Amino acid sequence: MSTKVWLIGDSWGDAWGTLAMQGVKPSQGLEYTIAQRLGIHGQDVVNLCRGGIGNDYALTIVKGAIRKGERPPTHIIQFWTEPLRDWSNYYSDASPNWRVKDAVDYITKQQQNNLCEFRKDTGNPEYAVIGGQAPLDDYHKVSTGASLCIQDWRASLLERELDYYASHLVGSYGSLDTYPNNMDKYKTKRQLLDKVNEIHELMRSSSAFPDDAHPGWNSYGWIIENLVAWIRRTS
């Protein structure tokens, strides 16, 4: 079977929707470069990333493409994002009170299970995942069957160890006021948000993040080399 690669996730993989990859034309971005390095047709590497979406909706896009008749991919590359973006899929205004760290852990586990089930239902395509807008937990590889995991790309670019839970609140969905019935005490929220602000400041002062939020194109070279080697190894 010929190699067919789908990229899924949020703005960290979406050069079109958010100009995330400053320094490269969208027509010559991630999917184009991967296809070129592999020596395969450009149509065999498809970018389904969309700015601002959650992990659940990323999977919904893939399922929708298959339902419309697309042949399932042989390889999936996911840019993992904040599980709390999909908060309303797991909680509601009437939900029992909850805490941020518990919700991150719970939704993460459910989304890992969803990804694992999807792979089983579609012929077990090879799966690589990049912790971008949100880092991966220590169980992601085992839980999903991923054959390539980049745990925390943001921390690598900043050359700093970052707080795991604060890293899940960095994006536009990070305001704790968005979610009702939160039981965390003010002190806990303040400590988390102080760490979020620290991450924001590190990104603003780093040349790796030209818009203060997304890696610039120059930062993708290492990612692309790893992904191309992985696809060759698993094809």
Side-chain angles (χ1 to χ4, degrees), residues 90-194:
Y90 301 91
Y91 299 92
S92 72
D93 292 359
S95 293
N97 292 340
W98 59 281
R99 301 180 190 277
V100 170
K101 293 182 179 180
D102 292 340
V104 168
D105 291 341
Y106 173 70
I107 298 174
T108 295
K109 182 62 177 175
Q110 299 306 309
Q111 292 182 333
Q112 290 170 342
N113 290 341
N114 294 342
L115 198 289
C116 187
E117 288 301 314
F118 168 75
R119 291 185 62 242
K120 289 179 181 177
D121 292 341
T122 52
N124 278 311
E126 295 289 342
Y127 173 58
V129 57
I130 300 157
Q133 182 63 25
L136 308 178
D137 68 14
D138 293 334
Y139 308 102
H140 199 102
K141 185 172 185 177
V142 173
S143 297
T144 62
S147 48
L148 175 65
C149 287
I150 296 173
Q151 191 161 17
D152 193 343
W153 187 23
R154 175 165 46 211
S156 296
L157 290 172
L158 294 173
E159 299 181 321
R160 290 279 294 272
E161 185 174 344
L162 304 175
D163 183 86
Y164 175 77
Y165 292 102
S167 295
H168 282 77
L169 299 170
V170 171
S172 59
Y173 293 78
S175 172
L176 297 183
D177 294 334
T178 304
Y179 315 106
N181 303 328
N182 176 254
M183 280 185 64
D184 288 307
K185 294 180 180 178
Y186 174 81
K187 180 179 179 180
T188 300
K189 293 180 183 179
R190 185 68 267 162
Q191 289 173 339
L192 270 174
L193 294 178
D194 284 346

Side-chain angles (χ1 to χ4, degrees), residues 198-219:
E198 179 184 351
I199 296 171
H200 276 299
E201 185 56 38
L202 288 168
M203 294 170 75
R204 279 192 290 269
S205 61
S206 171
S207 60
F209 296 88
D211 69 348
D212 304 336
H214 304 89
W217 179 244
N218 289 338
S219 298

Side-chain angles (χ1 to χ4, degrees), residues 26-37:
S27 60
Q28 298 176 356
L30 192 56
E31 61 271 30
Y32 169 86
T33 304
I34 291 174
Q36 188 181 55
R37 297 282 180 86

Side-chain angles (χ1 to χ4, degrees), residues 7 9-16 20-21 30-31 47 49 79 220:
L7 291 84
D10 68 349
S11 55
W12 282 51
D14 177 22
W16 285 93
M21 301 173 194
L30 192 56
E31 61 271 30
N47 194 332
C49 297
F79 288 84
Y220 281 80

